[in-house]
Amino acid sequence: MSNQSIVYYDEGWAYMQNGIKKLLQGLPNPHFTSEDSSMLYTNVYNMCTQNGPHDYSNELYEKYKETFKDYIKSTVLPSLREKKDELLLRDLLKRWSNHKIMIKYLSFFFGYLDIYFTPKRSRSSLEKVGYLSFYSLVYDELQRQVKNAILAMIDRKRAGESIDEKLVNNMLTFYSEIGERTNIKEPKQFAETIIKENPTFNIM
């Protein structure tokens, strides 16, 4: 980055893109030093606290949302769409875990937005934006297939077959988590109904 007192949008966003690329390439174990993370946070802070036309808070908020959308559409959905049954469930859990890691890092890098911009503009918090992106783009599209796969496993257990019960429990935990994180009742209700009807299963 340059030593100019003003961080112009193209320069500042290019710096963030480098950090985001490093994050995505490093999943599920990205490596950022405390200095790396602080510099990305500071870059956002500088871009949000400049005067007049150089306050890029809104642009950065939209880019934050876009980052999740682009990654899900380019990487997550293509992987999930080619799978079914238990393979679909396992990949969904992997993608959900990675998504939570993305939210952890990106909501820190862009964290200054939550101090001033999101409350002032009555926008969703950075964390909620991240979770809603997974719900709207992944959960909505695949929920029927995923539920059918879970119910099929439960039916097999009832029929006396041995199944991967931990996988079912992890999926029920996913439903509970995404419901809590998005404040949407339906996923959590699904998990609670399954547990009520099948007491051997539980949320991890």
Side-chain angles (χ1 to χ4, degrees):
M1 300 185 65
S2 75
N3 293 320
Q4 292 177 331
S5 57
I6 294 176
V7 180
Y8 291 97
Y9 177 78
D10 288 345
E11 177 191 13
W13 178 241
Y15 188 74
M16 297 310 296
Q17 283 182 302
N18 287 334
I20 292 167
K21 182 178 180 181
K22 180 179 178 181
L23 168 62
L24 299 182
Q25 290 179 340
L27 289 171
N29 299 301
H31 177 68
F32 287 89
T33 66
S34 57
E35 183 180 4
D36 292 336
S37 297
S38 294
M39 288 179 69
L40 288 160
Y41 178 92
T42 300
N43 182 60
V44 169
Y45 171 85
N46 289 337
M47 293 177 73
C48 293
T49 55
Q50 300 174 136
N51 293 327
H54 302 299
D55 176 354
Y56 301 115
S57 299
N58 187 69
E59 289 87 346
L60 287 172
Y61 185 78
E62 293 302 316
K63 283 294 187 183
Y64 174 86
K65 292 195 294 183
E66 213 175 273
T67 297
F68 288 104
K69 180 180 178 181
D70 290 347
Y71 181 73
I72 287 171
K73 288 191 170 184
S74 67
T75 304
V76 176
L77 285 175
S79 176
L80 291 169
R81 284 170 180 158
E82 63 185 19
K83 296 179 177 68
K84 61 181 181 179
D85 302 329
E86 291 184 37
L87 289 177
L88 172 62
L89 302 185
R90 294 182 194 283
D91 197 32
L92 179 62
L93 290 174
K94 172 187 171 184
R95 301 298 172 178
W96 175 241
S97 177
N98 284 348
H99 194 78
K100 290 189 287 184
I101 294 167
M102 284 179 65
I103 292 172
K104 174 186 173 182
Y105 280 89
L106 290 177
S107 64
F108 176 79
F109 299 158
F110 288 80
Y112 186 75
L113 290 169
D114 268 348
I115 294 175
Y116 183 74
F117 178 79
T118 58
K120 182 181 179 183
R121 300 288 184 90
S122 299
R123 304 285 185 91
S124 294
S125 71
L126 296 177
E127 277 201 354
K128 189 166 185 181
V129 165
Y131 287 113
L132 284 171
S133 68
F134 199 92
Y135 181 89
S136 62
L137 295 172
V138 180
Y139 180 92
D140 272 355
E141 176 175 329
L142 297 169
Q143 63 165 317
R144 180 174 296 181
Q145 291 171 259
V146 170
K147 286 179 179 178
N148 286 343
I150 294 170
L151 294 173
M153 291 183 71
I154 293 172
D155 286 343
R156 283 164 46 207
K157 178 177 169 59
R158 287 174 176 164
E161 290 186 41
S162 177
I163 66 165
D164 186 345
E165 295 187 31
K166 184 177 179 181
L167 177 58
V168 175
N169 288 335
N170 286 337
M171 284 304 307
L172 296 176
T173 301
F174 160 74
Y175 273 87
S176 180
E177 282 184 348
I178 199 168
E180 288 180 3
R181 299 291 189 176
T182 59
N183 293 322
I184 297 172
K185 294 180 180 179
E186 187 273 331
K188 194 171 182 180
Q189 288 174 342
F190 173 77
E192 290 170 348
T193 299
I194 293 295
I195 292 168
K196 184 177 180 181
E197 294 176 355
N198 306 272
T200 57
F201 296 112
N202 57 76
I203 293 171
M204 304 294 283

